[in-house]
Amino acid sequence: QAKAAGRATYTFYTSDMLVRTKRRGRIESTLLSESFGEQFHLAFQPITDLATGRVTSVEGLVRWRHAAADRVSPQEVITVAEETGLIVDLGAWVLHEACEIATTLPEEINMAVNLSPLQFGRSNIVDIVSRTLKDTGLPARRLDLEITETLLLEDSPRIVDDLRALRALGARLSLDDFGTGYSSLRYLRRFAVDKIKIDRSFIEEIGRNRDHSSIVHAIINMANSLGIRTVAEGVETAEQLEIVRAAGCSEVQGYLISRPLRKAELDRFLTDRPGW
Ligand code: C2E
Ligand code: MG
Ligand code: MG
Ligand code: MG
């Protein structure tokens, strides 16, 4: 009985692994192809000010244009890109594309771009950002760079220098997925970020789980007292929106306001929806 179950599990596991391996191979060869820019596009998710209902920024999120792409999450593409080191090229492409498109948006709207920790270790991110801003003509103050706690955890002087240099260019820094890593208040003083994005996993549970609610309140209070703006990620219900608003959160991002949109859809969204 146990043996049969074990074998069944084993069979399932290997075929699942095979599918994954094949899929990863396909992602990898897409990333390696010379025209890889044609195989990806960006989707843009609006981030809204809770006080005014106006869009403050949009987050550019990578999407893979492949027949099977609907079954492959962006997270998986990013993971393969990180494991192969191809994230350096993909990340630079995303940055350029996002900045170029940002120049076609209303001036008061910023563009948020995710940076992988590996883009710091394996490339000169300061040069890449500064060159991209020059090439596209996007003013640095309109670029929000999203970094994760994992990056800060490395606690390396080179990363501290890079982050300072990026801010010195005029770009803004957001701490993404806050609360999921080894969040430390120490980072917030040391690295001077402009925004904290509270991870979706806390927002999801906010009306139901008292610990999560307390954590969200604590993050918002702490950020407010340090003069750092907060974004609640993954707001899906009106109830969640009201809770984070009452808690003093600055901005929201989530399906309740909008899913990530293609550029043409974003343009329509921005004209149709000037504020609350
Ligand atoms: P993230 O940076 O935290 O981006 C937010 C993710 O949450 C997006 O997933 C977005 O579609 C999703 N989301 C937003 N609102 C809601 C909601 O109300 N409900 C639910 N269920 N989900 C919501 P996406 O586009 O699948 O991206 C996943 C992650 O992949 C991103 O998380 C980011 O870490 C990574 N990623 C995406 N594009 C890039 C990129 O260009 N570079 C890097 N380094 N990472 C990227
Ligand atoms: Mg992000
Ligand atoms: Mg996020
Ligand atoms: Mg997240």
Side-chain angles (χ1 to χ4, degrees), residues 72-84:
V72 181
S73 71
Q75 195 54 68
E76 191 174 352
V77 173
I78 296 298
T79 304
V80 173
E82 287 179 333
E83 285 171 4
T84 52

Side-chain angles (χ1 to χ4, degrees), residues 9 27 46 111 114 116 144 151 165-166 173 193 203 210 240 265-266 268 274:
T9 312
I27 298 170
M111 178 60 68
N114 294 285
S116 157
D144 296 344
L151 177 72
L166 290 171
L173 297 181
V193 298
I203 307 302
R210 207 180 288 183
Q240 292 165 345
E265 298 171 319
L266 174 68
R268 243 172 288 138

Side-chain angles (χ1 to χ4, degrees), residues 225-249:
S225 71
L226 292 169
I228 299 171
R229 289 180 69 81
T230 45
V231 181
E233 288 191 322
V235 171
E236 293 184 356
T237 69
E239 189 200 4
Q240 292 165 345
L241 183 130
E242 282 318 316
I243 295 173
V244 297
R245 189 211 294 276
C249 189

Side-chain angles (χ1 to χ4, degrees), residues 178-199:
F178 192 79
T180 55
Y182 296 86
S183 320
S184 157
L185 305 186
R186 221 160 45 100
Y187 297 148
L188 298 179
R189 294 239 128 234
R190 178 125 183 259
F191 295 97
V193 298
D194 302 279
K195 261 189 199 182
I196 289 173
K197 301 188 74 175
I198 306 166
D199 192 64

Side-chain angles (χ1 to χ4, degrees), residues 45-67:
Q45 190 175 33
I47 303 175
T48 304
D49 186 298
L50 268 167
T52 63
R54 298 180 74 91
V55 175
T56 60
S57 48
V58 298
E59 179 173 4
L61 296 157
V62 78
R63 294 291 179 265
W64 188 29
R65 292 184 213 272
H66 185 275

Side-chain angles (χ1 to χ4, degrees), residues 128-142:
I128 290 171
V129 169
S130 120
R131 210 171 339 111
T132 305
L133 290 170
K134 206 173 287 162
D135 288 352
T136 59
L138 185 74
R141 62 176 161 79
R142 291 186 59 200

